[in-house]
Amino acid sequence: MTDQARKDPAAQDWEPAIRRHLGDPAAVLAVQSVRDYATLGLRQEGDSVVTAEVTEVDLAAAEGPTVRITGCFDSGSRQVIDVNTGVPVAPGTPPRFVWNVGVTQFPTEVGEPWLVTVLEPLTSQPC
């Protein structure tokens, strides 16, 4: 969802669409990232690639049933572009790094959704 939003960050308020997939605090970070792109006059071309592996399942977690995932985030097939000049912007992170993700079920919400609640990029750990 964030790849789609960053391709045209100023097109709409992306928060409702992002919140269909992410819970807080991850949603706040993703929404702010898209808003920053719009404010800075940036857009994304291409898509990120993520490979993932489940590392832990805790169906009795205090915050609700939770799954922990470790993935490899690969941004090598995307570029950040300055909207005004059309010039690519140098990346702020390495092209491939480990990303820890937490997904929690919200059984009190309509449809009992599973939402991403933790997005922890480990940019110093290549994958």
Side-chain angles (χ1 to χ4, degrees):
M1 173 84 302
T2 55
D3 274 346
Q4 180 182 350
R6 287 185 190 126
K7 288 178 181 178
D8 196 359
Q12 66 183 52
D13 177 9
W14 288 97
E15 186 169 2
I18 289 171
R19 287 191 173 277
R20 284 195 297 266
H21 305 281
L22 301 176
D24 288 331
V28 170
L29 297 173
V31 168
Q32 188 59 51
S33 171
V34 172
R35 288 180 178 157
D36 288 348
Y37 267 52
T39 300
L40 296 170
L42 303 174
R43 68 176 170 77
Q44 177 179 309
E45 287 183 357
D47 291 312
S48 306
V49 176
V50 178
T51 55
E53 177 182 320
V54 173
T55 55
E56 180 184 350
V57 176
D58 184 355
L59 299 178
E63 64 272 16
T66 302
V67 176
R68 302 275 181 228
I69 301 164
T70 298
C72 178
F73 180 81
D74 184 347
S75 63
S77 60
R78 70 177 184 141
Q79 281 190 313
V80 176
I81 307 294
D82 182 308
V83 174
N84 294 318
T85 65
V87 175
V89 176
T93 60
R96 292 173 50 90
F97 55 88
V98 173
W99 202 319
N100 288 330
V101 178
V103 182
T104 303
Q105 185 181 31
F106 290 82
T108 59
E109 299 294 323
V110 175
E112 300 184 7
W114 287 84
L115 300 174
V116 174
T117 54
V118 175
L119 289 173
E120 181 184 13
L122 305 174
T123 57
S124 63
Q125 294 183 24
C127 52

